[in-house]
Amino acid sequence: MWKYVTKKQCNDFLLSLFLIDNKSDNEYIKELYSISNNVENNYKVFKVRKRSGGYRTIYEPSETLKYIQRQILKNVLSERNVSKYAKAYVSGISLKENALPHVNKEIILKLDIKNFFDSINFNQVYKYCFSIEYYPKNIGVLLTTLCTYYGYIPQGAPTSSYISNLIMRDFDQTVGRFCEERSIAYTRYSDDMTFSGSFNVGEVIRFVNSQLNLLGFSLNKRKINVVCKSKKQSVTGLVVNEKVQVSRKYKDKIRQEIYYIKKFGIDGHLIRIGYTERKEDYINSLYGKIMFVNNINNSLEFRNYLKCVRELKNRILCRHSRKEYEENKRIYSKSTKRRSIKSTNDI
């Protein structure tokens, strides 16, 4: 379809994607190609500590590149469907949906893809997302370049997660069919794959590994985990032995924080635990944790905790507003006094 398009037709098609705002046609085309020619210089690279130990490298695109990538995600990639087995980075799908298929199962097998994002290369991104089947070749290469960093998809780019789902679509479908034939539940949350039911664990591992190898991936053998029903079974942090629920340890930690806030007040509690960041950041984080629990296991107890923290947020907001008002009043009063003195001196 795209084999014999002209340069003008390619540019018109590129303009129709609305990747940059407030630019003339020439500026729009010029800026896209300029960024693509120096794409690596449009990232800030830093490391964040992982809960499991070690560090994860994050690649944060510049504001302009981030906007372009968000537009690619919205206007280009989101039109393509991912597999029903993919539960991460899909609108309307939550951790709970990833856990539900695995409730009350005899065996849960958890597998992890080794170096997932770092293993997805330029050629795969072009082939599965932007090939000539969908776009003119030079447009496809341009879009691929704008979504990769030194030939791989970077963790931190808005497009990377959805691209990974598109690349894994055929894998998910193949593994999904294999599992359905054996009454095995299968879901994939990014690089975490979960299988549950009554099945031959070794057979599943061998099949999954062979399918990953076809894509250039491999299993992280250190993270193969088999959990029987007699032990606590969790999927992406949620307990699934009898129903989907947040772990007791997670909920007890929130209960403890609320108890000490009520006992010592928010300032006393933060001093007690040695918290040195902004008070608002702590409260917002606690609010998010309570929201998470309430979304998974709606309960009166945690609805009351939400109310408590919401009132705390409002009190701090009001206090800041009063402080800002007094400060503005002081500045205004000082300024008025200066003007008054100046007017007297002028006379």
Side-chain angles (χ1 to χ4, degrees):
M1 175 181 177
W2 299 109
K3 196 172 180 181
Y4 301 108
V5 293
T6 65
K7 181 179 179 181
K8 183 180 183 308
Q9 287 173 321
C10 282
N11 286 344
D12 287 343
F13 182 81
L14 195 54
L15 288 166
S16 73
L17 299 179
F18 302 106
L19 301 183
I20 305 178
D21 279 341
N22 303 319
K23 298 282 183 182
S24 68
D25 290 357
N26 286 337
E27 288 174 334
Y28 176 102
I29 300 297
K30 185 177 178 181
E31 182 157 2
L32 285 179
Y33 279 101
S34 175
I35 290 174
S36 72
N37 289 333
N38 298 278
V39 71
E40 285 78 16
N41 295 328
N42 282 270
Y43 283 93
K44 181 171 73 174
V45 183
F46 57 94
K47 293 182 182 293
V48 295
R49 190 183 294 275
K50 295 192 290 187
R51 285 186 299 177
S52 58
Y55 292 86
R56 175 179 287 108
T57 304
I58 302 296
Y59 304 85
E60 182 182 354
S62 66
E63 287 304 313
T64 301
L65 180 57
K66 187 182 291 185
Y67 180 84
I68 292 169
Q69 289 171 340
R70 283 174 175 159
Q71 292 300 100
I72 292 173
L73 177 61
K74 176 184 174 183
N75 300 334
V76 179
L77 294 173
S78 61
E79 296 178 355
R80 310 270 305 283
N81 293 326
V82 302
S83 168
K84 66 179 182 180
Y85 303 103
K87 304 299 182 181
Y89 323 124
V90 181
S91 178
I93 301 292
S94 68
L95 284 173
K96 189 171 185 177
E97 276 70 35
N98 184 55
L100 275 170
H102 307 292
V103 172
N104 197 25
K105 297 295 179 67
E106 288 298 319
I107 298 172
I108 286 183
L109 167 66
K110 294 189 279 188
L111 302 176
D112 179 85
I113 304 172
K114 189 175 181 179
N115 300 326
F116 183 48
F117 281 89
D118 293 341
S119 299
I120 298 176
N121 61 41
F122 187 99
N123 290 336
Q124 288 174 310
V125 177
Y126 176 78
K127 176 182 177 182
Y128 290 98
C129 303
F130 305 116
S131 73
I132 199 165
E133 179 184 351
Y134 306 102
Y135 310 102
K137 185 173 182 179
N138 61 336
I139 300 297
V141 170
L142 172 67
L143 294 174
T144 303
T145 303
L146 290 168
C147 294
T148 53
Y149 178 87
Y150 284 115
Y152 295 88
I153 63 170
Q155 278 191 279
T159 46
S160 293
S161 302
Y162 206 84
I163 284 173
S164 71
N165 277 341
L166 291 174
I167 287 171
M168 295 296 288
R169 188 178 187 281
D170 290 345
F171 169 89
D172 286 334
Q173 296 298 104
T174 301
V175 173
R177 283 193 298 270
F178 172 88
C179 289
E180 286 179 7
E181 289 168 1
R182 292 160 178 78
S183 300
I184 304 170
Y186 163 63
T187 61
R188 182 180 58 80
Y189 197 91
S190 187
D191 55 353
D192 294 322
M193 297 171 288
T194 306
F195 306 82
S196 63
S198 299
F199 55 92
N200 184 319
V201 170
E203 180 189 25
V204 172
I205 292 174
R206 287 190 295 273
F207 182 78
V208 170
N209 195 45
S210 68
Q211 294 302 309
L212 285 175
N213 291 164
L214 294 176
L215 282 170
F217 299 127
S218 61
L219 281 177
N220 187 337
K221 294 180 180 177
R222 291 183 300 174
K223 290 189 176 182
I224 296 175
N225 193 8
V226 182
V227 187
C228 298
K229 195 175 182 181
S230 57
K231 297 182 179 179
K232 187 179 85 170
Q233 296 175 321
S234 64
V235 176
T236 48
L238 298 174
V239 179
V240 294
N241 288 74
E242 297 177 357
K243 63 179 182 178
V244 177
Q245 56 186 333
V246 179
S247 71
R248 180 178 297 177
K249 183 179 178 181
Y250 191 92
K251 290 187 285 189
D252 283 347
K253 181 70 169 62
I254 293 173
R255 291 185 179 107
Q256 185 183 57
E257 291 184 75
I258 294 293
Y259 171 80
Y260 285 122
I261 287 172
K262 288 180 176 179
K263 183 174 181 179
F264 300 111
I266 182 64
D267 293 321
H269 171 58
L270 294 183
I271 292 170
R272 180 178 169 276
I273 64 174
Y275 188 84
T276 57
E277 305 299 322
R278 292 190 334 137
K279 186 192 306 182
E280 293 86 345
D281 293 341
Y282 173 85
I283 293 170
N284 287 334
S285 173
L286 179 58
Y287 189 81
K289 292 175 184 176
I290 298 169
M291 279 289 291
F292 170 69
V293 174
N294 213 44
N295 286 337
I296 302 298
N297 305 124
N298 194 339
S299 70
L300 178 61
E301 177 190 8
F302 280 85
R303 288 201 300 273
N304 287 335
Y305 291 162
L306 278 178
K307 184 179 178 182
C308 172
V309 176
R310 198 179 293 123
E311 288 172 354
L312 189 61
K313 287 175 69 174
N314 290 337
R315 283 204 303 273
I316 290 173
L317 183 63
C318 289
R319 196 179 305 157
H320 282 186
S321 297
R322 284 198 301 272
K323 187 177 179 181
E324 186 179 358
Y325 169 76
E326 293 298 331
E327 180 65 16
N328 289 338
K329 184 179 176 182
R330 185 184 66 79
I331 293 170
Y332 175 76
S333 177
K334 208 172 188 180
S335 175
T336 304
K337 189 175 180 181
R338 282 202 201 99
R339 285 200 302 272
S340 177
I341 293 170
K342 187 176 184 298
S343 299
T344 305
N345 290 339
D346 288 344
I347 293 172

